[in-house]
Amino acid sequence: MKYVSTRSKTKPISSAEAILQGLAADGGLFVPEKIPKVTLDEIGALVDKTYEQRAAWLLGKYLTDYTPEELGECTELAYNWFDVPNRVPVMILIQDPDDPVAPVGSMELWHGPTSAFKDIALQMLPRLMSLALKKVGETKTILILVATSGDTGKAALAGFADVPQTKVMVFYPDGGVSKIQRLQMVTQRGDNVNVTAVRGNFDDAQTGVKKIFGDKVINYELDKLGVKLSSANSINWGRLVPQIAYYFSGYVEMIQAKQIKLGDKIHISVPTGNFGNILAAYYALKMGLPVSKLICASNINNVLTEFFVFGTYNRNRDFFRTITPSMDILISSNLERLLYHESGGDCKQVSRYMKDLAERGKYKIEHKLKERLDKIFIAEYITEDETKLFIKRVYDSFKYLMDTHTAVSVAALSKYRGRTNDFTPVLSASTASPYKFTGAVLEALEQSTDGVDDLAQLEQLNTLTGVRIPRNLAELSSAKILHTDVCNPEEMASRVLAFAEG
Ligand SMILES: *Cc1c(COP(=O)(O)O)cnc(C)c1O
């Protein structure tokens, strides 16, 4: 399996090269030359397998320059410390309160070390990168630089900690992240990790990191130290491919729970931001997983809902901060891969759209392409009040506690069912533990959080619902603080050099 760019006819490269390069030289994203097909028999054979084995099987379809042994070891190391034995459980708890018949499986993607779904990819990417370095004969150490507004920083730290030939350095705005988010980062163990607070806001940290990436002098100094900078960006193919696996696993879990039979079609509903998670579901569908529709669930930053309804992507609009911050995005980068595949690999067209987006902030897709997308995608958006209402409604009806992002997915599905009377079984992506967004969840359950700090809110929600607090969050109040560095934005580069040297 080789990889090409979405924007021009480039020389096909191996998956190891695509993972190390991240972005193609022409600014495009790497995509597989052909999407591999699987049979129903192969899917049926996954029933008796562990999550790690299912994931290794899926990775093998795309990462053909990795051996099955390597992939088996990667999935073991990545997932064996998830806090439930089956890693990505599917709860057949939610049934639409208005329709007690049609099953909905809530696929819990958040049992990893940071309690959010990005762990599934960020636990795998560092291991794939480390092996890729060997495969292409790179002897330098890769230094991953991250500026974070909270969640990505911890997921990257947990993923790269103690992975050979890599280092990871995270800058966060001093005073600009929640108490829990800060504690998660500053208690991170590992010999190859650094966490530094920047005096300023998130933009200051991000601008600082971008400057370092573009600074020739610093990169030259780093080169002399045997270090090369890289990022753990969500458009890296190595972050996307581990996500395809859980849709197969989720389907098989629905079979095991006797909600569907092998070959039955399901819909998949996904709370969407950068379009990575739902794109993974699209790849699963194209590979042959029996899926009929993909429900793209958005919050009030509904640029994607508009895109799927009208065929026009327009980022020139107001931006809202919501209770689903991981979906507060106006440019969904991974959409580019969908446009590439559904236009039959028309690089010229994709480039034109992306140029329009960069220059005018919008683009309109051709009628034929729009028709193709209509066959696959349903788009719905959910308001803040609806999100909270659904958390309460599902909790009251089924004692199932959802985080805000998960609630957007379930609410979107309910809207769709109400509109169409289509009661096909659904697999709905649950992307974060309710304890990751405790304040909003408590509010949805009509609890007052006045004067209660982050950590005390964990206890408050636990007392109210009896739902277990994830281990990594429960241990935070007693974990040892290991990182106390603070710097000014103009000192970031020298801190990077010092860390690279050490
Ligand atoms: C990142 C994230 C999303 C959005 O996923 P995309 O792949 O960016 O579409 C949804 N929910 C949570 C909790 C997230 O962290």
PDB file of all heavy atoms in Angstrom, residues 78-106:
ATOM      1  N   ALA A  78       0.139   0.020  23.176  1.00  0.00           N
ATOM      2  CA  ALA A  78      -0.725   1.208  23.146  1.00  0.00           C
ATOM      3  C   ALA A  78      -1.958   1.030  24.020  1.00  0.00           C
ATOM      4  O   ALA A  78      -2.376   1.952  24.704  1.00  0.00           O
ATOM      5  CB  ALA A  78      -1.144   1.521  21.711  1.00  0.00           C
ATOM      6  N   TYR A  79      -2.554  -0.158  23.979  1.00  0.00           N
ATOM      7  CA  TYR A  79      -3.891  -0.301  24.580  1.00  0.00           C
ATOM      8  C   TYR A  79      -3.951  -1.130  25.851  1.00  0.00           C
ATOM      9  O   TYR A  79      -4.983  -1.168  26.495  1.00  0.00           O
ATOM     10  CB  TYR A  79      -4.857  -0.856  23.534  1.00  0.00           C
ATOM     11  CG  TYR A  79      -4.946   0.014  22.293  1.00  0.00           C
ATOM     12  CD1 TYR A  79      -4.846  -0.532  21.010  1.00  0.00           C
ATOM     13  CD2 TYR A  79      -5.114   1.388  22.416  1.00  0.00           C
ATOM     14  CE1 TYR A  79      -4.912   0.287  19.889  1.00  0.00           C
ATOM     15  CE2 TYR A  79      -5.176   2.206  21.298  1.00  0.00           C
ATOM     16  CZ  TYR A  79      -5.066   1.652  20.033  1.00  0.00           C
ATOM     17  OH  TYR A  79      -5.126   2.455  18.936  1.00  0.00           O
ATOM     18  N   ASN A  80      -2.845  -1.811  26.217  1.00  0.00           N
ATOM     19  CA  ASN A  80      -2.992  -2.717  27.356  1.00  0.00           C
ATOM     20  C   ASN A  80      -3.196  -2.002  28.688  1.00  0.00           C
ATOM     21  O   ASN A  80      -3.552  -2.610  29.668  1.00  0.00           O
ATOM     22  CB  ASN A  80      -1.851  -3.738  27.420  1.00  0.00           C
ATOM     23  CG  ASN A  80      -0.552  -3.120  27.874  1.00  0.00           C
ATOM     24  OD1 ASN A  80      -0.493  -1.950  28.242  1.00  0.00           O
ATOM     25  ND2 ASN A  80       0.510  -3.897  27.842  1.00  0.00           N
ATOM     26  N   TRP A  81      -3.003  -0.686  28.719  1.00  0.00           N
ATOM     27  CA  TRP A  81      -3.263   0.009  29.984  1.00  0.00           C
ATOM     28  C   TRP A  81      -4.555   0.812  29.952  1.00  0.00           C
ATOM     29  O   TRP A  81      -4.804   1.638  30.826  1.00  0.00           O
ATOM     30  CB  TRP A  81      -2.054   0.831  30.402  1.00  0.00           C
ATOM     31  CG  TRP A  81      -1.617   1.897  29.453  1.00  0.00           C
ATOM     32  CD1 TRP A  81      -1.568   1.816  28.098  1.00  0.00           C
ATOM     33  CD2 TRP A  81      -1.153   3.201  29.791  1.00  0.00           C
ATOM     34  NE1 TRP A  81      -1.095   2.986  27.563  1.00  0.00           N
ATOM     35  CE2 TRP A  81      -0.822   3.857  28.586  1.00  0.00           C
ATOM     36  CE3 TRP A  81      -0.968   3.881  30.993  1.00  0.00           C
ATOM     37  CZ2 TRP A  81      -0.332   5.158  28.548  1.00  0.00           C
ATOM     38  CZ3 TRP A  81      -0.472   5.170  30.933  1.00  0.00           C
ATOM     39  CH2 TRP A  81      -0.161   5.796  29.732  1.00  0.00           C
ATOM     40  N   PHE A  82      -5.406   0.571  28.953  1.00  0.00           N
ATOM     41  CA  PHE A  82      -6.755   1.145  29.005  1.00  0.00           C
ATOM     42  C   PHE A  82      -7.476   0.487  30.189  1.00  0.00           C
ATOM     43  O   PHE A  82      -7.192  -0.662  30.519  1.00  0.00           O
ATOM     44  CB  PHE A  82      -7.498   0.881  27.688  1.00  0.00           C
ATOM     45  CG  PHE A  82      -7.196   1.897  26.609  1.00  0.00           C
ATOM     46  CD1 PHE A  82      -5.907   2.321  26.372  1.00  0.00           C
ATOM     47  CD2 PHE A  82      -8.218   2.434  25.837  1.00  0.00           C
ATOM     48  CE1 PHE A  82      -5.623   3.266  25.389  1.00  0.00           C
ATOM     49  CE2 PHE A  82      -7.946   3.379  24.854  1.00  0.00           C
ATOM     50  CZ  PHE A  82      -6.655   3.802  24.626  1.00  0.00           C
ATOM     51  N   ASP A  83      -8.416   1.215  30.818  1.00  0.00           N
ATOM     52  CA  ASP A  83      -8.891   0.749  32.117  1.00  0.00           C
ATOM     53  C   ASP A  83     -10.081  -0.211  32.073  1.00  0.00           C
ATOM     54  O   ASP A  83     -10.722  -0.447  33.088  1.00  0.00           O
ATOM     55  CB  ASP A  83      -9.146   1.932  33.062  1.00  0.00           C
ATOM     56  CG  ASP A  83     -10.326   2.788  32.626  1.00  0.00           C
ATOM     57  OD1 ASP A  83     -10.989   2.428  31.628  1.00  0.00           O
ATOM     58  OD2 ASP A  83     -10.596   3.807  33.281  1.00  0.00           O
ATOM     59  N   VAL A  84     -10.403  -0.761  30.896  1.00  0.00           N
ATOM     60  CA  VAL A  84     -11.403  -1.835  30.829  1.00  0.00           C
ATOM     61  C   VAL A  84     -10.836  -2.960  29.966  1.00  0.00           C
ATOM     62  O   VAL A  84     -10.070  -2.700  29.036  1.00  0.00           O
ATOM     63  CB  VAL A  84     -12.751  -1.363  30.227  1.00  0.00           C
ATOM     64  CG1 VAL A  84     -13.534  -0.534  31.236  1.00  0.00           C
ATOM     65  CG2 VAL A  84     -12.537  -0.571  28.945  1.00  0.00           C
ATOM     66  N   PRO A  85     -11.184  -4.208  30.267  1.00  0.00           N
ATOM     67  CA  PRO A  85     -10.563  -5.338  29.568  1.00  0.00           C
ATOM     68  C   PRO A  85     -10.800  -5.310  28.059  1.00  0.00           C
ATOM     69  O   PRO A  85      -9.906  -5.669  27.289  1.00  0.00           O
ATOM     70  CB  PRO A  85     -11.236  -6.567  30.178  1.00  0.00           C
ATOM     71  CG  PRO A  85     -11.961  -6.100  31.385  1.00  0.00           C
ATOM     72  CD  PRO A  85     -12.124  -4.630  31.311  1.00  0.00           C
ATOM     73  N   ASN A  86     -11.978  -4.889  27.606  1.00  0.00           N
ATOM     74  CA  ASN A  86     -12.198  -4.887  26.155  1.00  0.00           C
ATOM     75  C   ASN A  86     -11.888  -3.547  25.507  1.00  0.00           C
ATOM     76  O   ASN A  86     -12.221  -3.325  24.348  1.00  0.00           O
ATOM     77  CB  ASN A  86     -13.604  -5.388  25.803  1.00  0.00           C
ATOM     78  CG  ASN A  86     -14.689  -4.605  26.528  1.00  0.00           C
ATOM     79  OD1 ASN A  86     -14.395  -3.845  27.432  1.00  0.00           O
ATOM     80  ND2 ASN A  86     -15.924  -4.781  26.109  1.00  0.00           N
ATOM     81  N   ARG A  87     -11.223  -2.644  26.245  1.00  0.00           N
ATOM     82  CA  ARG A  87     -10.638  -1.397  25.712  1.00  0.00           C
ATOM     83  C   ARG A  87     -11.646  -0.388  25.165  1.00  0.00           C
ATOM     84  O   ARG A  87     -11.640   0.755  25.554  1.00  0.00           O
ATOM     85  CB  ARG A  87      -9.588  -1.677  24.614  1.00  0.00           C
ATOM     86  CG  ARG A  87      -8.586  -2.758  24.923  1.00  0.00           C
ATOM     87  CD  ARG A  87      -7.885  -2.569  26.229  1.00  0.00           C
ATOM     88  NE  ARG A  87      -6.935  -3.631  26.485  1.00  0.00           N
ATOM     89  CZ  ARG A  87      -6.603  -4.046  27.687  1.00  0.00           C
ATOM     90  NH1 ARG A  87      -7.155  -3.516  28.766  1.00  0.00           N
ATOM     91  NH2 ARG A  87      -5.717  -4.995  27.832  1.00  0.00           N
ATOM     92  N   VAL A  88     -12.469  -0.801  24.191  1.00  0.00           N
ATOM     93  CA  VAL A  88     -13.448   0.104  23.579  1.00  0.00           C
ATOM     94  C   VAL A  88     -14.821  -0.553  23.676  1.00  0.00           C
ATOM     95  O   VAL A  88     -15.325  -1.115  22.703  1.00  0.00           O
ATOM     96  CB  VAL A  88     -13.089   0.398  22.102  1.00  0.00           C
ATOM     97  CG1 VAL A  88     -14.090   1.384  21.489  1.00  0.00           C
ATOM     98  CG2 VAL A  88     -11.679   0.972  21.990  1.00  0.00           C
ATOM     99  N   PRO A  89     -15.436  -0.504  24.868  1.00  0.00           N
ATOM    100  CA  PRO A  89     -16.717  -1.183  25.045  1.00  0.00           C
ATOM    101  C   PRO A  89     -17.856  -0.448  24.324  1.00  0.00           C
ATOM    102  O   PRO A  89     -17.774   0.758  24.106  1.00  0.00           O
ATOM    103  CB  PRO A  89     -16.935  -1.135  26.559  1.00  0.00           C
ATOM    104  CG  PRO A  89     -16.103   0.006  27.048  1.00  0.00           C
ATOM    105  CD  PRO A  89     -14.957   0.158  26.097  1.00  0.00           C
ATOM    106  N   VAL A  90     -18.863  -1.202  23.952  1.00  0.00           N
ATOM    107  CA  VAL A  90     -20.062  -0.599  23.368  1.00  0.00           C
ATOM    108  C   VAL A  90     -21.209  -0.832  24.341  1.00  0.00           C
ATOM    109  O   VAL A  90     -21.537  -1.975  24.668  1.00  0.00           O
ATOM    110  CB  VAL A  90     -20.386  -1.215  21.991  1.00  0.00           C
ATOM    111  CG1 VAL A  90     -21.727  -0.687  21.468  1.00  0.00           C
ATOM    112  CG2 VAL A  90     -19.273  -0.901  21.000  1.00  0.00           C
ATOM    113  N   MET A  91     -21.794   0.241  24.844  1.00  0.00           N
ATOM    114  CA  MET A  91     -22.894   0.145  25.802  1.00  0.00           C
ATOM    115  C   MET A  91     -24.215   0.199  25.052  1.00  0.00           C
ATOM    116  O   MET A  91     -24.509   1.198  24.399  1.00  0.00           O
ATOM    117  CB  MET A  91     -22.845   1.329  26.790  1.00  0.00           C
ATOM    118  CG  MET A  91     -21.595   1.370  27.613  1.00  0.00           C
ATOM    119  SD  MET A  91     -21.483  -0.088  28.659  1.00  0.00           S
ATOM    120  CE  MET A  91     -19.761  -0.055  29.085  1.00  0.00           C
ATOM    121  N   ILE A  92     -24.982  -0.877  25.139  1.00  0.00           N
ATOM    122  CA  ILE A  92     -26.292  -0.858  24.479  1.00  0.00           C
ATOM    123  C   ILE A  92     -27.282  -0.323  25.510  1.00  0.00           C
ATOM    124  O   ILE A  92     -28.247  -0.969  25.860  1.00  0.00           O
ATOM    125  CB  ILE A  92     -26.697  -2.263  23.990  1.00  0.00           C
ATOM    126  CG1 ILE A  92     -25.547  -2.945  23.281  1.00  0.00           C
ATOM    127  CG2 ILE A  92     -27.926  -2.198  23.086  1.00  0.00           C
ATOM    128  CD1 ILE A  92     -25.231  -2.449  21.901  1.00  0.00           C
ATOM    129  N   LEU A  93     -26.954   0.808  26.062  1.00  0.00           N
ATOM    130  CA  LEU A  93     -27.770   1.340  27.142  1.00  0.00           C
ATOM    131  C   LEU A  93     -28.768   2.341  26.610  1.00  0.00           C
ATOM    132  O   LEU A  93     -29.874   2.459  27.097  1.00  0.00           O
ATOM    133  CB  LEU A  93     -26.882   2.054  28.151  1.00  0.00           C
ATOM    134  CG  LEU A  93     -25.905   1.187  28.896  1.00  0.00           C
ATOM    135  CD1 LEU A  93     -24.940   2.055  29.674  1.00  0.00           C
ATOM    136  CD2 LEU A  93     -26.644   0.243  29.824  1.00  0.00           C
ATOM    137  N   ILE A  94     -28.310   3.057  25.623  1.00  0.00           N
ATOM    138  CA  ILE A  94     -29.165   4.124  25.159  1.00  0.00           C
ATOM    139  C   ILE A  94     -30.118   3.592  24.124  1.00  0.00           C
ATOM    140  O   ILE A  94     -29.702   3.014  23.142  1.00  0.00           O
ATOM    141  CB  ILE A  94     -28.364   5.221  24.453  1.00  0.00           C
ATOM    142  CG1 ILE A  94     -27.132   5.568  25.244  1.00  0.00           C
ATOM    143  CG2 ILE A  94     -29.224   6.418  24.214  1.00  0.00           C
ATOM    144  CD1 ILE A  94     -26.264   6.551  24.510  1.00  0.00           C
ATOM    145  N   GLN A  95     -31.368   3.767  24.380  1.00  0.00           N
ATOM    146  CA  GLN A  95     -32.308   3.617  23.298  1.00  0.00           C
ATOM    147  C   GLN A  95     -33.029   4.929  23.289  1.00  0.00           C
ATOM    148  O   GLN A  95     -33.220   5.550  24.314  1.00  0.00           O
ATOM    149  CB  GLN A  95     -33.243   2.461  23.569  1.00  0.00           C
ATOM    150  CG  GLN A  95     -32.447   1.167  23.630  1.00  0.00           C
ATOM    151  CD  GLN A  95     -33.320  -0.011  23.940  1.00  0.00           C
ATOM    152  OE1 GLN A  95     -34.278   0.113  24.653  1.00  0.00           O
ATOM    153  NE2 GLN A  95     -32.966  -1.152  23.398  1.00  0.00           N
ATOM    154  N   ASP A  96     -33.379   5.386  22.123  1.00  0.00           N
ATOM    155  CA  ASP A  96     -34.043   6.668  22.028  1.00  0.00           C
ATOM    156  C   ASP A  96     -35.286   6.634  22.916  1.00  0.00           C
ATOM    157  O   ASP A  96     -36.133   5.763  22.757  1.00  0.00           O
ATOM    158  CB  ASP A  96     -34.434   6.908  20.570  1.00  0.00           C
ATOM    159  CG  ASP A  96     -34.878   8.334  20.366  1.00  0.00           C
ATOM    160  OD1 ASP A  96     -35.639   8.812  21.208  1.00  0.00           O
ATOM    161  OD2 ASP A  96     -34.452   8.938  19.373  1.00  0.00           O
ATOM    162  N   PRO A  97     -35.376   7.566  23.861  1.00  0.00           N
ATOM    163  CA  PRO A  97     -36.538   7.552  24.753  1.00  0.00           C
ATOM    164  C   PRO A  97     -37.865   7.555  23.986  1.00  0.00           C
ATOM    165  O   PRO A  97     -38.868   7.050  24.480  1.00  0.00           O
ATOM    166  CB  PRO A  97     -36.383   8.846  25.555  1.00  0.00           C
ATOM    167  CG  PRO A  97     -34.938   9.146  25.505  1.00  0.00           C
ATOM    168  CD  PRO A  97     -34.431   8.639  24.187  1.00  0.00           C
ATOM    169  N   ASP A  98     -37.857   8.122  22.780  1.00  0.00           N
ATOM    170  CA  ASP A  98     -39.092   8.150  21.999  1.00  0.00           C
ATOM    171  C   ASP A  98     -39.325   6.865  21.244  1.00  0.00           C
ATOM    172  O   ASP A  98     -40.374   6.651  20.650  1.00  0.00           O
ATOM    173  CB  ASP A  98     -39.057   9.305  20.980  1.00  0.00           C
ATOM    174  CG  ASP A  98     -39.144  10.636  21.693  1.00  0.00           C
ATOM    175  OD1 ASP A  98     -39.668  10.647  22.821  1.00  0.00           O
ATOM    176  OD2 ASP A  98     -38.661  11.629  21.134  1.00  0.00           O
ATOM    177  N   ASP A  99     -38.303   6.030  21.165  1.00  0.00           N
ATOM    178  CA  ASP A  99     -38.454   4.784  20.439  1.00  0.00           C
ATOM    179  C   ASP A  99     -37.673   3.683  21.127  1.00  0.00           C
ATOM    180  O   ASP A  99     -36.478   3.511  20.899  1.00  0.00           O
ATOM    181  CB  ASP A  99     -37.959   4.908  19.003  1.00  0.00           C
ATOM    182  CG  ASP A  99     -38.136   3.573  18.318  1.00  0.00           C
ATOM    183  OD1 ASP A  99     -39.236   3.306  17.837  1.00  0.00           O
ATOM    184  OD2 ASP A  99     -37.175   2.777  18.325  1.00  0.00           O
ATOM    185  N   PRO A 100     -38.323   2.928  21.971  1.00  0.00           N
ATOM    186  CA  PRO A 100     -37.624   1.935  22.782  1.00  0.00           C
ATOM    187  C   PRO A 100     -37.144   0.719  21.992  1.00  0.00           C
ATOM    188  O   PRO A 100     -36.544  -0.178  22.562  1.00  0.00           O
ATOM    189  CB  PRO A 100     -38.663   1.540  23.835  1.00  0.00           C
ATOM    190  CG  PRO A 100     -39.975   1.914  23.262  1.00  0.00           C
ATOM    191  CD  PRO A 100     -39.753   2.989  22.250  1.00  0.00           C
ATOM    192  N   VAL A 101     -37.383   0.679  20.673  1.00  0.00           N
ATOM    193  CA  VAL A 101     -37.060  -0.529  19.921  1.00  0.00           C
ATOM    194  C   VAL A 101     -35.663  -0.500  19.305  1.00  0.00           C
ATOM    195  O   VAL A 101     -34.883  -1.428  19.452  1.00  0.00           O
ATOM    196  CB  VAL A 101     -38.089  -0.785  18.806  1.00  0.00           C
ATOM    197  CG1 VAL A 101     -37.904  -2.183  18.242  1.00  0.00           C
ATOM    198  CG2 VAL A 101     -39.499  -0.583  19.318  1.00  0.00           C
ATOM    199  N   ALA A 102     -35.360   0.581  18.600  1.00  0.00           N
ATOM    200  CA  ALA A 102     -34.136   0.593  17.805  1.00  0.00           C
ATOM    201  C   ALA A 102     -32.904   0.743  18.678  1.00  0.00           C
ATOM    202  O   ALA A 102     -32.797   1.678  19.460  1.00  0.00           O
ATOM    203  CB  ALA A 102     -34.198   1.731  16.808  1.00  0.00           C
ATOM    204  N   PRO A 103     -31.964  -0.180  18.583  1.00  0.00           N
ATOM    205  CA  PRO A 103     -30.791  -0.116  19.450  1.00  0.00           C
ATOM    206  C   PRO A 103     -29.809   0.979  19.047  1.00  0.00           C
ATOM    207  O   PRO A 103     -29.636   1.285  17.878  1.00  0.00           O
ATOM    208  CB  PRO A 103     -30.148  -1.489  19.257  1.00  0.00           C
ATOM    209  CG  PRO A 103     -30.601  -1.939  17.919  1.00  0.00           C
ATOM    210  CD  PRO A 103     -31.960  -1.339  17.702  1.00  0.00           C
ATOM    211  N   VAL A 104     -29.185   1.550  20.070  1.00  0.00           N
ATOM    212  CA  VAL A 104     -28.082   2.479  19.860  1.00  0.00           C
ATOM    213  C   VAL A 104     -26.931   1.978  20.709  1.00  0.00           C
ATOM    214  O   VAL A 104     -27.079   1.798  21.918  1.00  0.00           O
ATOM    215  CB  VAL A 104     -28.444   3.910  20.297  1.00  0.00           C
ATOM    216  CG1 VAL A 104     -27.257   4.826  20.109  1.00  0.00           C
ATOM    217  CG2 VAL A 104     -29.647   4.422  19.537  1.00  0.00           C
ATOM    218  N   GLY A 105     -25.818   1.738  20.078  1.00  0.00           N
ATOM    219  CA  GLY A 105     -24.639   1.343  20.835  1.00  0.00           C
ATOM    220  C   GLY A 105     -23.778   2.573  21.057  1.00  0.00           C
ATOM    221  O   GLY A 105     -23.410   3.250  20.102  1.00  0.00           O
ATOM    222  N   SER A 106     -23.478   2.865  22.316  1.00  0.00           N
ATOM    223  CA  SER A 106     -22.593   3.987  22.599  1.00  0.00           C
ATOM    224  C   SER A 106     -21.173   3.445  22.714  1.00  0.00           C
ATOM    225  O   SER A 106     -20.830   2.750  23.675  1.00  0.00           O
ATOM    226  CB  SER A 106     -23.030   4.670  23.899  1.00  0.00           C
ATOM    227  OG  SER A 106     -22.171   5.751  24.187  1.00  0.00           O
TER     228      SER A 106
END
